[in-house]
Structure formats: structure tokens, C-alpha cells
Amino acid sequence: MQRRLGAGSDDSGTPSSKESIEAKARRQAERRARKARRDTDMSSRERSKDRKRGGQPGHPGRGLVRDPDPQQRQRLDPPVECRGCGGELGETQDRGTAWSQIWDVKVVPWRTEFALPQRKCACCGKITTALPPGGLVNGISFGPVLNAAAVALTSYGNAPTERAATLVAMLLGQRVSAGFVDRANARLAQMLTRAGFVDALKAALLAEPVLTADESPVEVVNPASGETDEQACGQEPTDEPTDQDTGKAVEKAPGKAVEKTKPGSPHVLVIRTPDERLVWLSGLHSRRHADVTAFLRSYTGFLIVDGFRGYQTLLTCEKPVLAGIQQCCQHICRRGKGVGKLGPGSLQSWAKKVIDVLNQAHTAVEAAKARGQTALDPKLLADLRARYDTAVEFGITHNRHRPWDGDGNHPGYKLANWLKTYADQVWTFTRHFAVDWTSNAAERGIKPAKRHQAVSGYWQTDKTLDRWCLNQSYLISARNHGLTVQEAIALAFAGNPWLPPIALPTLAAA
């Protein structure tokens, strides 16, 4: 219990927002100790005494530039009293004119009424009415600005629907209902589906040389119930027992009843490019291997993951096409820090050696890239790998039979054995420079789902989760290609949504 309470974001998968008081105090004490030993070693959250506030030298800055053609020009009365000595100032003391601009937004309610001509057919007698932009005849509908605001606040800003309706009224001066906010998101999803956005995004992702993936559990109030995983995936239900990890049928033990596979907990899967240009979020009924890897089965590039075993099926299937897997080294470092604290004494120092070797390998790769090289020096790589293997073997040998008060084997043995089994995947980034050494891009891509759940608490159904994932994928990807959220929403509602360009693979060059 003490060990779990003391685990923090630096040595486990616990996010910093959920760290215990003890873990936060420990990390702060460690930062102070590092600072005392070496004054230059400071956390990015701590401000140096010599550092001034604001942008630092070399920062490009994002200041406002004077508008040469403002909408309004106004001349103020000249000053009549000196701010220095209080003396009078007259016309004879004019010294030119300075300038100042105030940028603001004026929200003006705008209501347009359309006269809709009607004509009666001479053949069948049916009366046909001209359709207005909103498509509603003899009624009132909200325009693109209010629809964009509703979508931006919920799908991008993660505000609950009722709160979003309140914010629209506060900011734009027009009362709307929570139902309108929900329908606006539904209309965006419909427009994206009609335009083939998902197919275009999948094609663009499959053409990328490197992708990174991650998954996270989410709360759905009314998930698909009464279905087996086969039904949830659109397959015929079966009475054959299945393996919970692989989803493959297994033989029934003699004399034992067959249990149908029950649906797992809902998850959100994110697949993203390492430079974060494209992101695809997808709702899953469960974390079964077959569900997680369904889209990636035809992917031929490199995949960066966090250690989830399901991705290994992409290499062990009947006809694997994946170029390779890179295990996230940041996850390894966190696990290594956790093992290093277990002891006894300095026995688990092998984990820190593994962390140091991986950091040195990353530094060497970045330096080689800066020099325009496409591969590490073979002798350097062999030396780094030998040090890694030696440290891992030490961890296996000295933890194989070590007693442990938790479940299963000692964490040191588990980690060392895992590092040996997937050693080639840990070192992929040293052989292929196009591959990043972490899955941080995917972890950042999964944060919107966690943030939405923290604010709203849940999704009502699988359908609303899928719709949220679709809208998020569109808005984030479009924004990362230079569009504003408002522009992306306006294009979609106009029937011409942004579609991702397809990049040509560059693995051979890398």
C-alpha cells in the first residue's frame, strides 16, 4: 500500500493530476536536491532568479501588428495639462500625433427572412417550394455561426451540452437549447460521413511511414448490452469459448460448460502521426486484440506503441505486413524508475543503467541526424546494445527467485524479462531514423478523451462516443493543417469539409 501511494508520474503510469500528496512531495524534494547539487539542473516549472518574465531572447513572439485599414478612425482631444509638471498646454505646443488601436469584436444579432416562391405542377398538382439555406420551410433555424459555436464548445472545448448552450447565450446573445447543441454535433458528423472524411483519413494514415497508437478506457453510460464481442464487431455470435486477449476460439475443456464472451469495457483508440499532423480517434467496444488492431492489419509502416501485447499480433499473424514496432522508451524509463526504488539497497541499479543507455542512444541518434547521417556508427551501436543486454541479464538473474508480496513475479524480473523479449523493438529507433523513440504523440492525442470525461463525466451511448471521436479527429487534424476551428466547421457545414492529403511513404529514404 505504501509503495502504491508513493508511486508518481515519474515512475508509473499515474498521471500528474492524480498523484498522491506523498508522491508530489517526493518529486518536489528530489527537484530541490538536484538543484542543490547542480544549480543548472532545474525543472522547467521552476523559474531561475536570473530569468526575466515573458518571452526569452530568440523567441519569435506573437505580438499584434498595427492594422493599416481599421474599420473606424477617431481623433481624441489634445491634452491640456502636462503630466510632468502640471503646466498648461496649448495649440502652439503641438508635437505631432501618436496612435493607438483597440481590437474588439461586435456581436450583432442578424436575422434574415427568405421569401420562398412556390409553384404548382400542372401534371400531378404538387406544390414545390424553394428551399432556404437552412432547409426549413415556414420555420426558424439557427445559422452557421451559432452552429459553429455549439460544435466548437462541445466537440473541441469539451463543454457539456447544457453548459455550451449557456455559453452561447452569454457570448453571442442568442438563447439556444441543449438539444440544438447536440443536433449541431450530429449534423457535423453527418456532413463528414457524407463527404467520406473517415475513408480519406484512413487512406492518409495508411500511407504514412510511421504511426503511433494508444488506447484508454472511457465511461459509457449505456454501452452496447446483451451482445457478445462478435456481435459488437458485426460478426455472427458463437457458442465457442474464446481467448480474452486474442479473441481466437479455444477448445472447450471436457465436462465444462461453454461461456459466451461478454463485452469488454469501452475504450478510445488513437492513431496519430508522430508529428501530430493527423489523428484518428475511434470508439471501441473492448480492448480485445482483434478490435484494437483491426485498422492496422493492412498498415505497412512502423508502429510506435506503449507495450500493449495486442499490437504483437500484427507481426505474428498469418500474413504480417507491418515493417516493425518501436516500444515507447519513455514508458520503459518510468517502469525502470519504479523498479529502481524497490531495492534491496542498490540491487536494482541495473534499471537505471538501462535508462542511461537508452538516453545515450537517443542523444547519439539526434546528433547523427543533425550531421545528416542516416545510421549510427556500428561500433557505437554495438557498445550501447551490449551494455543494455548486460544490465537486462543482471536484472533477470538477481530477480528470478526474489520473493514478492504482490501478485506474480517480482517487478524487476518482469521488466528485465520483457526488455529481453522485446529488445529488438526497443532499439528500432537506432536502426531507422524516421522512427521516434516515444509514443508521446499518441498519449497527447488521447488526452482530449480523458479531458472530456473529466469535465462531462461520460458519454451516453456508443453512438455519441463515435460521433465525438469523429468530430475530434476532424477538428484537430484540420487545425494542425493551418485551419482555425471555425473555418473547419464552416467548410463542413457548407458541404466541402477539409480532407487530409495523402503523403507518399519515405521509409526507403529514411
Side-chain angles (χ1 to χ4, degrees):
M1 179 63 72
Q2 291 179 348
R3 185 171 52 251
R4 292 179 62 183
L5 290 175
S9 58
D10 59 337
D11 58 7
S12 70
T14 303
S16 57
S17 60
K18 294 185 178 180
E19 282 183 327
S20 64
I21 296 176
E22 179 184 349
K24 290 182 179 179
R26 174 181 55 77
R27 288 202 299 113
Q28 292 173 358
E30 290 176 352
R31 284 202 301 268
R32 287 193 294 267
R34 288 197 304 269
K35 181 181 178 182
R37 290 193 305 267
R38 188 173 56 186
D39 190 60
T40 57
D41 183 12
M42 298 184 62
S43 167
S44 59
R45 298 181 181 180
E46 296 180 15
R47 181 180 301 278
S48 171
K49 294 180 180 179
D50 300 329
R51 181 182 177 184
K52 296 181 180 180
R53 292 184 178 274
Q56 302 304 302
H59 189 275
R62 292 182 176 84
L64 301 178
V65 179
R66 182 182 182 184
D67 187 349
D69 188 24
Q71 285 81 3
Q72 180 181 3
R73 293 180 184 273
Q74 181 177 348
R75 185 177 181 86
L76 300 182
D77 294 333
V80 296
E81 182 179 305
C82 176
R83 292 194 183 94
C85 65
E88 292 185 3
L89 298 175
E91 295 182 359
T92 59
Q93 295 165 306
D94 286 346
R95 290 297 183 270
T97 303
W99 66 274
S100 174
Q101 289 188 350
I102 295 178
W103 291 12
D104 204 348
V105 175
K106 289 189 176 181
V107 179
V108 180
W110 196 266
R111 298 181 175 95
T112 303
E113 180 170 308
F114 295 91
L116 309 178
Q118 297 178 323
R119 290 183 177 179
K120 184 177 181 179
C121 179
C123 299
C124 65
K126 182 176 179 61
I127 297 177
T128 301
T129 305
L131 287 179
L136 183 62
V137 178
N138 294 331
I140 301 173
S141 60
F142 291 127
V145 173
L146 292 173
N147 277 270
V151 171
L153 288 170
T154 50
S155 287
Y156 192 81
N158 294 309
T161 53
E162 292 187 0
R163 189 179 304 169
T166 302
L167 290 172
V168 169
M170 292 171 58
L171 297 174
L172 302 182
Q174 176 61 58
R175 293 181 60 185
V176 298
S177 66
F180 160 74
V181 174
D182 186 70
R183 290 192 297 273
N185 284 277
R187 283 193 291 272
L188 176 62
Q190 290 172 359
M191 299 300 290
L192 295 177
T193 302
R194 192 178 305 165
F197 170 75
V198 174
D199 292 337
L201 181 59
K202 288 182 177 180
L205 288 171
L206 290 176
E208 290 287 333
V210 184
L211 292 176
T212 179
D214 197 6
E215 63 289 325
S216 178
V218 293
E219 183 70 26
V220 178
V221 177
N222 299 305
S225 58
E227 295 181 323
T228 64
D229 280 354
E230 289 84 1
Q231 289 173 310
C233 297
Q235 305 171 4
E236 291 297 323
T238 175
D239 285 340
E240 292 297 324
T242 57
D243 183 271
Q244 293 294 325
D245 287 331
T246 64
K248 296 181 179 179
V250 296
E251 295 184 2
K252 180 180 72 170
K256 295 227 176 162
V258 175
E259 294 184 2
K260 290 187 178 180
T261 304
K262 296 180 180 179
S265 61
H267 278 66
V268 166
L269 170 70
V270 59
I271 298 176
R272 197 174 199 180
T273 54
D275 59 5
E276 305 184 9
R277 286 178 296 107
L278 298 173
V279 60
W280 179 46
L281 292 116
S282 174
L284 302 177
H285 292 283
S286 72
R287 204 188 183 205
R288 285 180 53 189
H289 295 184
D291 296 347
V292 174
T293 61
F295 166 71
L296 296 166
R297 290 170 192 160
S298 58
Y299 179 57
T300 58
F302 284 90
L303 185 65
I304 310 172
V305 298
D306 60 0
F308 177 52
R309 288 185 303 164
Y311 298 111
Q312 298 299 323
T313 61
L314 297 171
L315 297 175
T316 60
C317 59
E318 185 176 352
K319 295 181 179 179
V321 296
L322 192 69
I325 288 178
Q326 168 65 52
Q327 297 291 343
C328 176
C329 291
Q330 288 294 339
H331 281 77
I332 295 173
C333 291
R334 285 199 291 267
R335 292 180 64 186
K337 288 179 180 178
V339 168
K341 296 177 180 179
L342 297 179
S346 60
L347 185 66
Q348 307 298 343
S349 60
W350 66 270
K352 185 179 185 306
K353 293 179 181 179
V354 169
I355 295 173
D356 292 341
V357 169
L358 292 177
N359 280 314
Q360 292 170 18
H362 176 248
T363 301
V365 168
E366 292 302 311
K369 289 181 182 179
R371 294 192 297 267
Q373 299 174 346
T374 58
L376 281 182
D377 176 67
K379 292 183 178 180
L380 173 61
L381 180 57
D383 176 67
L384 292 170
R385 181 61 187 271
R387 290 165 55 194
Y388 170 92
D389 292 337
T390 301
V392 168
E393 286 296 336
F394 183 94
I396 294 175
T397 302
H398 291 271
N399 290 295
R400 189 188 306 274
H401 302 294
R402 185 167 300 283
W404 176 244
D405 56 0
D407 296 332
N409 293 317
H410 190 278
Y413 178 75
K414 289 181 181 179
L415 176 60
N417 199 48
W418 186 91
L419 290 172
K420 181 178 181 179
T421 302
Y422 298 107
D424 287 341
Q425 296 179 8
V426 173
W427 288 83
T428 300
F429 76 99
T430 63
R431 303 188 301 273
H432 303 278
F433 282 6
V435 181
D436 198 359
W437 75 319
T438 75
S439 61
N440 289 348
E443 286 197 357
R444 286 189 289 269
I446 209 73
K447 280 185 177 180
K450 297 180 179 180
R451 192 177 300 116
H452 178 91
Q453 187 162 276
V455 174
S456 299
Y458 52 81
W459 287 266
Q460 282 288 347
T461 64
D462 292 327
K463 184 177 180 180
T464 56
L465 173 61
D466 292 339
R467 187 181 70 191
W468 181 88
C469 288
L470 172 59
N471 292 349
Q472 272 279 327
S473 301
Y474 172 71
L475 295 177
I476 295 176
S477 298
R479 189 171 183 269
N480 290 341
H481 281 77
L483 275 71
T484 65
V485 173
Q486 292 83 350
E487 289 171 344
I489 296 172
L491 287 173
F493 280 134
N496 186 32
W498 171 88
L499 296 179
I502 298 180
L504 295 177
T506 57
L507 273 180

